[in-house]
Amino acid sequence: MNSPEIKVKKVELTCDGWTLNILSPRVATITSPTGARKTTYFGFDSKEKAETFQYWVTRKDKCSKAIVRSSERLPTLWEVKTWKTEESLIIQCALKDLKENAAITF
């Protein structure tokens, strides 16, 4: 079975080059005008799942900081906003999301 391909959808947030990069329905990043990743967002359907993920990523040192909040960037109910997140985790989560939600388009 083929692995899904990540096709990043870029949304310009500001006229000076801040960009929301949507990797999958549940994973997105924000980059600065220079292309540096500033934050990452992971989406969840429940606050409990978001809190479990937040606990895991901080305990396993997968990011420098993580907060749970009502979704502002993703089409989910809840999101975990992280800083300095491991790139491998971002890609792994996006691929898993794309594989599980192959019927969802955005």
Side-chain angles (χ1 to χ4, degrees), residues 1-4 95-96 98-102:
M1 187 170 157
N2 288 344
S3 185
L95 287 172
K96 182 176 187 282
L98 289 169
K99 189 175 183 181
E100 290 175 0
N101 297 297

Side-chain angles (χ1 to χ4, degrees), residues 17-32:
W18 286 88
T19 307
L20 175 67
N21 311 288
I22 304 167
L23 284 72
S24 76
R26 294 178 183 267
V27 181
T29 64
I30 289 184
T31 50
S32 71

Side-chain angles (χ1 to χ4, degrees), residues 18-80:
W18 286 88
T19 307
L20 175 67
N21 311 288
I22 304 167
L23 284 72
S24 76
R26 294 178 183 267
V27 181
T29 64
I30 289 184
T31 50
S32 71
T34 62
R37 184 175 3 98
K38 294 298 180 180
T39 55
T40 304
Y41 302 87
F42 299 94
F44 297 91
D45 295 328
S46 72
K47 186 175 185 182
E48 293 75 22
K49 287 180 182 177
E51 288 171 339
T52 299
F53 182 80
Q54 175 199 28
Y55 177 77
W56 181 82
V57 294
T58 52
R59 184 138 190 256
K60 296 291 186 181
D61 293 325
K62 301 288 184 185
C63 64
S64 63
K65 180 182 174 186
I67 61 167
V68 174
R69 68 182 193 182
S70 295
S71 282
E72 295 176 24
R73 302 288 183 190
L74 297 169
T76 54
L77 294 175
W78 295 91
E79 64 191 23
V80 177

Side-chain angles (χ1 to χ4, degrees), residues 6 23 27 37 42 56 62 85-96:
I6 297 175
L23 284 72
V27 181
R37 184 175 3 98
F42 299 94
W56 181 82
K62 301 288 184 185
T85 309
E86 283 186 9
E87 187 174 344
S88 60
L89 177 66
I90 298 167
I91 293 168
Q92 178 186 357
C93 290
L95 287 172
K96 182 176 187 282

